[in-house]
Amino acid sequence: MIENRVLKGVFLVAFGATSYGMLATFVKMAYNEGYTTAEITSSQFILGILGILVINLFQKTRNKNKNKTLKASKKNIFHLMLAGTSLGMTSVFYYLAVKYIPVSIGIVLLMQTVWMGVLLEMILEKKIPSTQKIISVVVVLIGTVLATNLIKNEIPLDWHGIMWGVLAAASFTTTMFTANRVATEISSAQRSLYMLLGGAVIVFSFSIATETAPYNFDIFLKWGIVLALFGTIIPPLLMNAGFPLTGIGLGSIVSALELPVSVTMAYFLLKEEVNMTQWLGIILIILAIVIMNVNFKKRNKQRSF
């Protein structure tokens, strides 16, 4: 029974991570059709909020006579919306990054959340990271140098893309920290809705400030639905449902699927070149995530008995 639950959790997290991995390629394709960052992000969030709202209404109707769903308090809503602002910033920064640099590089920069998370944890908890985490950080940094092809790259990367990519990683690190600590007692659908509403404040503010040309509403039918499904509806719901079944360690390892999926999608659909050195870097980053989340001490104790 336990194995079935874990297997179900692995499937949910894997499918959620795969969906996230596809997202940047779709964004790049929308850019190639002339749509702006403001149009892409706003259409994704509007349709995403509508989709999550429908799911919440469905859950509320289904559980009406069961009293299973705990309703979010005003305090919960405020904290989730505040946490959701970092989600909005992640979308804006990440989409700006892939506008200037290849998707395969953008996703590698986003994965810098591995060492940023360790740094943030050290600052907040005021303690030195374990040797295991330090090794993971070193492996990530080596992997990043290889995956971004910094050594052999003859064409310099646009610094705008690198800047936005690093900012996306920083805001995503904040999102992960807050998402696992704020209002965890209420349903994942409610949490997703209020975090999206908080993110929408950032996205709409960005859209109003940057959109100078007439807004192209075709984006809603052409790319908005796809972006909302793969960016704001499927991944958070599946990951919020899957992580309690897998645990943080196994869930984090499985969610690393986002990296190879993103690079593979860019390779086949966008025809981006990815050489063997870059693949080696990607493997090292995934290895670092595994090292960080495997409990070696527990395994050694089990072997001793």
Side-chain angles (χ1 to χ4, degrees), residues 209-246:
T210 61
E211 190 69 6
T212 54
Y215 192 95
N216 190 347
F217 288 94
D218 289 346
I219 185 72
F220 283 92
L221 291 177
K222 292 207 74 176
W223 290 107
I225 296 172
V226 173
L227 295 171
L229 279 172
F230 288 94
T232 51
I233 298 176
I234 294 174
L237 287 175
L238 293 185
M239 286 184 164
N240 282 333
F243 264 89
L245 301 178
T246 61

mmCIF file of all heavy atoms in Angstrom, residues 209-246:
data_model
loop_
_atom_site.group_PDB
_atom_site.id
_atom_site.type_symbol
_atom_site.label_atom_id
_atom_site.label_comp_id
_atom_site.label_asym_id
_atom_site.label_seq_id
_atom_site.Cartn_x
_atom_site.Cartn_y
_atom_site.Cartn_z
ATOM 1 N N ALA A 209 2.800 48.600 -17.366
ATOM 2 C CA ALA A 209 3.989 49.462 -17.449
ATOM 3 C C ALA A 209 4.764 49.306 -18.758
ATOM 4 O O ALA A 209 5.406 50.252 -19.214
ATOM 5 C CB ALA A 209 4.917 49.181 -16.268
ATOM 6 N N THR A 210 4.696 48.114 -19.369
ATOM 7 C CA THR A 210 5.549 47.842 -20.537
ATOM 8 C C THR A 210 4.823 47.749 -21.870
ATOM 9 O O THR A 210 5.445 47.918 -22.918
ATOM 10 C CB THR A 210 6.344 46.534 -20.330
ATOM 11 O OG1 THR A 210 5.415 45.440 -20.185
ATOM 12 C CG2 THR A 210 7.227 46.628 -19.105
ATOM 13 N N GLU A 211 3.529 47.458 -21.851
ATOM 14 C CA GLU A 211 2.806 47.254 -23.116
ATOM 15 C C GLU A 211 2.441 48.601 -23.733
ATOM 16 O O GLU A 211 1.520 49.285 -23.283
ATOM 17 C CB GLU A 211 1.539 46.411 -22.871
ATOM 18 C CG GLU A 211 0.854 45.928 -24.121
ATOM 19 C CD GLU A 211 1.658 44.864 -24.877
ATOM 20 O OE1 GLU A 211 2.709 44.417 -24.368
ATOM 21 O OE2 GLU A 211 1.230 44.495 -25.972
ATOM 22 N N THR A 212 3.150 48.986 -24.772
ATOM 23 C CA THR A 212 2.905 50.271 -25.439
ATOM 24 C C THR A 212 2.053 50.106 -26.702
ATOM 25 O O THR A 212 1.294 50.995 -27.059
ATOM 26 C CB THR A 212 4.246 50.941 -25.820
ATOM 27 O OG1 THR A 212 5.034 50.031 -26.579
ATOM 28 C CG2 THR A 212 5.013 51.353 -24.570
ATOM 29 N N ALA A 213 2.188 48.962 -27.376
ATOM 30 C CA ALA A 213 1.391 48.699 -28.593
ATOM 31 C C ALA A 213 0.013 48.171 -28.202
ATOM 32 O O ALA A 213 -0.192 47.742 -27.056
ATOM 33 C CB ALA A 213 2.123 47.687 -29.466
ATOM 34 N N PRO A 214 -0.940 48.191 -29.120
ATOM 35 C CA PRO A 214 -2.274 47.625 -28.839
ATOM 36 C C PRO A 214 -2.170 46.149 -28.453
ATOM 37 O O PRO A 214 -1.426 45.397 -29.078
ATOM 38 C CB PRO A 214 -3.020 47.793 -30.171
ATOM 39 C CG PRO A 214 -2.329 48.917 -30.854
ATOM 40 C CD PRO A 214 -0.891 48.824 -30.459
ATOM 41 N N TYR A 215 -2.916 45.766 -27.454
ATOM 42 C CA TYR A 215 -2.869 44.390 -26.935
ATOM 43 C C TYR A 215 -3.467 43.426 -27.961
ATOM 44 O O TYR A 215 -4.559 43.648 -28.477
ATOM 45 C CB TYR A 215 -3.652 44.305 -25.625
ATOM 46 C CG TYR A 215 -3.451 43.037 -24.848
ATOM 47 C CD1 TYR A 215 -2.508 42.977 -23.828
ATOM 48 C CD2 TYR A 215 -4.211 41.897 -25.116
ATOM 49 C CE1 TYR A 215 -2.323 41.809 -23.098
ATOM 50 C CE2 TYR A 215 -4.027 40.726 -24.397
ATOM 51 C CZ TYR A 215 -3.085 40.691 -23.387
ATOM 52 O OH TYR A 215 -2.896 39.531 -22.669
ATOM 53 N N ASN A 216 -2.734 42.356 -28.261
ATOM 54 C CA ASN A 216 -3.190 41.358 -29.236
ATOM 55 C C ASN A 216 -3.943 40.241 -28.504
ATOM 56 O O ASN A 216 -3.330 39.343 -27.928
ATOM 57 C CB ASN A 216 -1.994 40.790 -30.008
ATOM 58 C CG ASN A 216 -2.425 39.936 -31.186
ATOM 59 O OD1 ASN A 216 -3.590 39.564 -31.315
ATOM 60 N ND2 ASN A 216 -1.487 39.632 -32.060
ATOM 61 N N PHE A 217 -5.267 40.280 -28.547
ATOM 62 C CA PHE A 217 -6.089 39.313 -27.811
ATOM 63 C C PHE A 217 -6.072 37.919 -28.430
ATOM 64 O O PHE A 217 -6.594 36.973 -27.827
ATOM 65 C CB PHE A 217 -7.529 39.827 -27.707
ATOM 66 C CG PHE A 217 -7.682 40.975 -26.755
ATOM 67 C CD1 PHE A 217 -7.634 42.285 -27.209
ATOM 68 C CD2 PHE A 217 -7.853 40.749 -25.388
ATOM 69 C CE1 PHE A 217 -7.763 43.362 -26.325
ATOM 70 C CE2 PHE A 217 -7.984 41.806 -24.499
ATOM 71 C CZ PHE A 217 -7.941 43.115 -24.961
ATOM 72 N N ASP A 218 -5.484 37.771 -29.607
ATOM 73 C CA ASP A 218 -5.352 36.444 -30.221
ATOM 74 C C ASP A 218 -4.512 35.509 -29.365
ATOM 75 O O ASP A 218 -4.616 34.280 -29.481
ATOM 76 C CB ASP A 218 -4.706 36.562 -31.611
ATOM 77 C CG ASP A 218 -5.634 37.199 -32.635
ATOM 78 O OD1 ASP A 218 -6.846 37.291 -32.346
ATOM 79 O OD2 ASP A 218 -5.158 37.608 -33.701
ATOM 80 N N ILE A 219 -3.670 36.077 -28.518
ATOM 81 C CA ILE A 219 -2.797 35.292 -27.654
ATOM 82 C C ILE A 219 -3.596 34.324 -26.775
ATOM 83 O O ILE A 219 -3.149 33.214 -26.480
ATOM 84 C CB ILE A 219 -1.920 36.218 -26.761
ATOM 85 C CG1 ILE A 219 -0.904 35.409 -25.919
ATOM 86 C CG2 ILE A 219 -2.771 37.063 -25.832
ATOM 87 C CD1 ILE A 219 0.224 34.830 -26.680
ATOM 88 N N PHE A 220 -4.810 34.708 -26.384
ATOM 89 C CA PHE A 220 -5.619 33.865 -25.500
ATOM 90 C C PHE A 220 -5.951 32.525 -26.146
ATOM 91 O O PHE A 220 -5.900 31.480 -25.474
ATOM 92 C CB PHE A 220 -6.900 34.601 -25.097
ATOM 93 C CG PHE A 220 -6.684 35.637 -24.043
ATOM 94 C CD1 PHE A 220 -6.416 36.955 -24.386
ATOM 95 C CD2 PHE A 220 -6.729 35.305 -22.700
ATOM 96 C CE1 PHE A 220 -6.202 37.913 -23.412
ATOM 97 C CE2 PHE A 220 -6.519 36.257 -21.713
ATOM 98 C CZ PHE A 220 -6.246 37.563 -22.072
ATOM 99 N N LEU A 221 -6.304 32.532 -27.414
ATOM 100 C CA LEU A 221 -6.666 31.295 -28.102
ATOM 101 C C LEU A 221 -5.441 30.559 -28.635
ATOM 102 O O LEU A 221 -5.390 29.330 -28.627
ATOM 103 C CB LEU A 221 -7.640 31.580 -29.248
ATOM 104 C CG LEU A 221 -9.041 32.033 -28.835
ATOM 105 C CD1 LEU A 221 -9.879 32.349 -30.060
ATOM 106 C CD2 LEU A 221 -9.734 30.937 -28.010
ATOM 107 N N LYS A 222 -4.436 31.291 -29.089
ATOM 108 C CA LYS A 222 -3.276 30.665 -29.723
ATOM 109 C C LYS A 222 -2.319 30.044 -28.704
ATOM 110 O O LYS A 222 -1.847 28.929 -28.882
ATOM 111 C CB LYS A 222 -2.531 31.678 -30.601
ATOM 112 C CG LYS A 222 -3.309 32.113 -31.838
ATOM 113 C CD LYS A 222 -2.403 32.539 -32.969
ATOM 114 C CE LYS A 222 -1.734 31.353 -33.626
ATOM 115 N NZ LYS A 222 -0.915 31.762 -34.797
ATOM 116 N N TRP A 223 -2.010 30.780 -27.641
ATOM 117 C CA TRP A 223 -1.019 30.298 -26.677
ATOM 118 C C TRP A 223 -1.474 30.375 -25.224
ATOM 119 O O TRP A 223 -0.951 29.650 -24.374
ATOM 120 C CB TRP A 223 0.293 31.073 -26.836
ATOM 121 C CG TRP A 223 1.002 30.751 -28.106
ATOM 122 C CD1 TRP A 223 1.120 31.535 -29.217
ATOM 123 C CD2 TRP A 223 1.674 29.528 -28.423
ATOM 124 N NE1 TRP A 223 1.821 30.894 -30.213
ATOM 125 C CE2 TRP A 223 2.183 29.647 -29.743
ATOM 126 C CE3 TRP A 223 1.898 28.341 -27.728
ATOM 127 C CZ2 TRP A 223 2.885 28.625 -30.372
ATOM 128 C CZ3 TRP A 223 2.615 27.318 -28.362
ATOM 129 C CH2 TRP A 223 3.090 27.475 -29.659
ATOM 130 N N GLY A 224 -2.431 31.243 -24.921
ATOM 131 C CA GLY A 224 -2.855 31.443 -23.538
ATOM 132 C C GLY A 224 -3.324 30.171 -22.855
ATOM 133 O O GLY A 224 -2.946 29.887 -21.710
ATOM 134 N N ILE A 225 -4.140 29.371 -23.546
ATOM 135 C CA ILE A 225 -4.679 28.137 -22.959
ATOM 136 C C ILE A 225 -3.550 27.146 -22.674
ATOM 137 O O ILE A 225 -3.480 26.548 -21.590
ATOM 138 C CB ILE A 225 -5.730 27.501 -23.897
ATOM 139 C CG1 ILE A 225 -6.935 28.433 -24.037
ATOM 140 C CG2 ILE A 225 -6.168 26.142 -23.367
ATOM 141 C CD1 ILE A 225 -7.939 27.994 -25.095
ATOM 142 N N VAL A 226 -2.647 26.991 -23.628
ATOM 143 C CA VAL A 226 -1.515 26.063 -23.464
ATOM 144 C C VAL A 226 -0.616 26.497 -22.302
ATOM 145 O O VAL A 226 -0.233 25.686 -21.448
ATOM 146 C CB VAL A 226 -0.683 25.989 -24.769
ATOM 147 C CG1 VAL A 226 0.579 25.161 -24.563
ATOM 148 C CG2 VAL A 226 -1.515 25.412 -25.896
ATOM 149 N N LEU A 227 -0.290 27.793 -22.264
ATOM 150 C CA LEU A 227 0.582 28.319 -21.214
ATOM 151 C C LEU A 227 -0.071 28.202 -19.836
ATOM 152 O O LEU A 227 0.600 27.895 -18.843
ATOM 153 C CB LEU A 227 0.942 29.780 -21.504
ATOM 154 C CG LEU A 227 1.784 30.025 -22.764
ATOM 155 C CD1 LEU A 227 1.886 31.524 -23.054
ATOM 156 C CD2 LEU A 227 3.171 29.426 -22.613
ATOM 157 N N ALA A 228 -1.376 28.455 -19.772
ATOM 158 C CA ALA A 228 -2.097 28.348 -18.492
ATOM 159 C C ALA A 228 -2.112 26.906 -17.996
ATOM 160 O O ALA A 228 -1.876 26.644 -16.813
ATOM 161 C CB ALA A 228 -3.523 28.868 -18.657
ATOM 162 N N LEU A 229 -2.361 25.961 -18.907
ATOM 163 C CA LEU A 229 -2.404 24.549 -18.524
ATOM 164 C C LEU A 229 -1.052 24.063 -18.032
ATOM 165 O O LEU A 229 -0.936 23.462 -16.960
ATOM 166 C CB LEU A 229 -2.853 23.691 -19.715
ATOM 167 C CG LEU A 229 -4.353 23.633 -19.995
ATOM 168 C CD1 LEU A 229 -4.620 22.908 -21.305
ATOM 169 C CD2 LEU A 229 -5.095 22.939 -18.856
ATOM 170 N N PHE A 230 0.007 24.326 -18.817
ATOM 171 C CA PHE A 230 1.333 23.796 -18.500
ATOM 172 C C PHE A 230 2.116 24.652 -17.508
ATOM 173 O O PHE A 230 3.135 24.206 -16.986
ATOM 174 C CB PHE A 230 2.143 23.624 -19.783
ATOM 175 C CG PHE A 230 1.680 22.474 -20.632
ATOM 176 C CD1 PHE A 230 0.772 22.680 -21.650
ATOM 177 C CD2 PHE A 230 2.123 21.190 -20.388
ATOM 178 C CE1 PHE A 230 0.322 21.618 -22.438
ATOM 179 C CE2 PHE A 230 1.686 20.121 -21.171
ATOM 180 C CZ PHE A 230 0.780 20.339 -22.192
ATOM 181 N N GLY A 231 1.628 25.881 -17.249
ATOM 182 C CA GLY A 231 2.359 26.764 -16.348
ATOM 183 C C GLY A 231 1.688 27.061 -15.024
ATOM 184 O O GLY A 231 2.363 27.168 -13.994
ATOM 185 N N THR A 232 0.350 27.163 -15.024
ATOM 186 C CA THR A 232 -0.315 27.615 -13.789
ATOM 187 C C THR A 232 -1.419 26.687 -13.272
ATOM 188 O O THR A 232 -1.933 26.906 -12.180
ATOM 189 C CB THR A 232 -0.942 29.016 -14.000
ATOM 190 O OG1 THR A 232 -1.744 28.994 -15.179
ATOM 191 C CG2 THR A 232 0.103 30.085 -14.153
ATOM 192 N N ILE A 233 -1.792 25.669 -14.035
ATOM 193 C CA ILE A 233 -2.867 24.778 -13.582
ATOM 194 C C ILE A 233 -2.329 23.386 -13.247
ATOM 195 O O ILE A 233 -2.405 22.937 -12.099
ATOM 196 C CB ILE A 233 -3.998 24.679 -14.636
ATOM 197 C CG1 ILE A 233 -4.644 26.053 -14.851
ATOM 198 C CG2 ILE A 233 -5.051 23.666 -14.187
ATOM 199 C CD1 ILE A 233 -5.699 26.079 -15.946
ATOM 200 N N ILE A 234 -1.760 22.703 -14.242
ATOM 201 C CA ILE A 234 -1.327 21.316 -14.042
ATOM 202 C C ILE A 234 -0.178 21.177 -13.037
ATOM 203 O O ILE A 234 -0.303 20.426 -12.059
ATOM 204 C CB ILE A 234 -0.940 20.664 -15.395
ATOM 205 C CG1 ILE A 234 -2.175 20.540 -16.285
ATOM 206 C CG2 ILE A 234 -0.312 19.293 -15.180
ATOM 207 C CD1 ILE A 234 -1.876 20.037 -17.693
ATOM 208 N N PRO A 235 0.961 21.907 -13.208
ATOM 209 C CA PRO A 235 2.112 21.667 -12.315
ATOM 210 C C PRO A 235 1.847 21.909 -10.832
ATOM 211 O O PRO A 235 2.151 21.026 -10.014
ATOM 212 C CB PRO A 235 3.183 22.632 -12.857
ATOM 213 C CG PRO A 235 2.803 22.851 -14.278
ATOM 214 C CD PRO A 235 1.312 22.860 -14.279
ATOM 215 N N PRO A 236 1.287 23.074 -10.426
ATOM 216 C CA PRO A 236 1.116 23.264 -8.979
ATOM 217 C C PRO A 236 0.142 22.276 -8.347
ATOM 218 O O PRO A 236 0.371 21.808 -7.225
ATOM 219 C CB PRO A 236 0.585 24.707 -8.872
ATOM 220 C CG PRO A 236 0.095 25.064 -10.226
ATOM 221 C CD PRO A 236 0.896 24.273 -11.187
ATOM 222 N N LEU A 237 -0.925 21.934 -9.057
ATOM 223 C CA LEU A 237 -1.897 20.985 -8.513
ATOM 224 C C LEU A 237 -1.285 19.598 -8.349
ATOM 225 O O LEU A 237 -1.435 18.955 -7.309
ATOM 226 C CB LEU A 237 -3.132 20.899 -9.425
ATOM 227 C CG LEU A 237 -4.085 22.099 -9.400
ATOM 228 C CD1 LEU A 237 -5.191 21.922 -10.432
ATOM 229 C CD2 LEU A 237 -4.695 22.275 -8.006
ATOM 230 N N LEU A 238 -0.571 19.134 -9.369
ATOM 231 C CA LEU A 238 0.029 17.800 -9.312
ATOM 232 C C LEU A 238 1.166 17.733 -8.306
ATOM 233 O O LEU A 238 1.295 16.752 -7.579
ATOM 234 C CB LEU A 238 0.534 17.387 -10.698
ATOM 235 C CG LEU A 238 -0.535 17.158 -11.770
ATOM 236 C CD1 LEU A 238 0.102 16.633 -13.053
ATOM 237 C CD2 LEU A 238 -1.598 16.182 -11.294
ATOM 238 N N MET A 239 1.984 18.783 -8.251
ATOM 239 C CA MET A 239 3.112 18.771 -7.315
ATOM 240 C C MET A 239 2.637 18.903 -5.866
ATOM 241 O O MET A 239 3.188 18.257 -4.972
ATOM 242 C CB MET A 239 4.100 19.881 -7.664
ATOM 243 C CG MET A 239 4.916 19.565 -8.915
ATOM 244 S SD MET A 239 6.160 20.826 -9.280
ATOM 245 C CE MET A 239 7.197 19.924 -10.427
ATOM 246 N N ASN A 240 1.621 19.728 -5.640
ATOM 247 C CA ASN A 240 1.075 19.853 -4.286
ATOM 248 C C ASN A 240 0.435 18.552 -3.820
ATOM 249 O O ASN A 240 0.422 18.242 -2.632
ATOM 250 C CB ASN A 240 0.040 20.982 -4.229
ATOM 251 C CG ASN A 240 0.678 22.350 -4.164
ATOM 252 O OD1 ASN A 240 1.797 22.496 -3.688
ATOM 253 N ND2 ASN A 240 -0.001 23.365 -4.664
ATOM 254 N N ALA A 241 -0.109 17.787 -4.770
ATOM 255 C CA ALA A 241 -0.718 16.493 -4.436
ATOM 256 C C ALA A 241 0.337 15.398 -4.340
ATOM 257 O O ALA A 241 0.199 14.458 -3.540
ATOM 258 C CB ALA A 241 -1.753 16.121 -5.501
ATOM 259 N N GLY A 242 1.408 15.498 -5.129
ATOM 260 C CA GLY A 242 2.407 14.446 -5.177
ATOM 261 C C GLY A 242 3.460 14.496 -4.095
ATOM 262 O O GLY A 242 3.882 13.456 -3.579
ATOM 263 N N PHE A 243 3.883 15.714 -3.698
ATOM 264 C CA PHE A 243 4.961 15.845 -2.716
ATOM 265 C C PHE A 243 4.640 15.213 -1.356
ATOM 266 O O PHE A 243 5.519 14.590 -0.753
ATOM 267 C CB PHE A 243 5.355 17.311 -2.543
ATOM 268 C CG PHE A 243 6.534 17.719 -3.391
ATOM 269 C CD1 PHE A 243 6.363 18.198 -4.675
ATOM 270 C CD2 PHE A 243 7.823 17.604 -2.905
ATOM 271 C CE1 PHE A 243 7.441 18.552 -5.469
ATOM 272 C CE2 PHE A 243 8.929 17.956 -3.675
ATOM 273 C CZ PHE A 243 8.735 18.426 -4.969
ATOM 274 N N PRO A 244 3.401 15.328 -0.838
ATOM 275 C CA PRO A 244 3.096 14.659 0.439
ATOM 276 C C PRO A 244 3.221 13.134 0.352
ATOM 277 O O PRO A 244 3.459 12.480 1.364
ATOM 278 C CB PRO A 244 1.634 15.068 0.700
ATOM 279 C CG PRO A 244 1.455 16.342 -0.048
ATOM 280 C CD PRO A 244 2.291 16.190 -1.280
ATOM 281 N N LEU A 245 3.072 12.565 -0.843
ATOM 282 C CA LEU A 245 3.156 11.112 -1.026
ATOM 283 C C LEU A 245 4.597 10.644 -1.200
ATOM 284 O O LEU A 245 4.959 9.563 -0.750
ATOM 285 C CB LEU A 245 2.337 10.686 -2.254
ATOM 286 C CG LEU A 245 0.845 11.040 -2.234
ATOM 287 C CD1 LEU A 245 0.172 10.598 -3.529
ATOM 288 C CD2 LEU A 245 0.145 10.387 -1.042
ATOM 289 N N THR A 246 5.425 11.466 -1.847
ATOM 290 C CA THR A 246 6.816 11.076 -2.098
ATOM 291 C C THR A 246 7.755 11.520 -0.986
ATOM 292 O O THR A 246 8.786 10.886 -0.745
ATOM 293 C CB THR A 246 7.334 11.696 -3.413
ATOM 294 O OG1 THR A 246 7.292 13.134 -3.300
ATOM 295 C CG2 THR A 246 6.494 11.268 -4.594
#
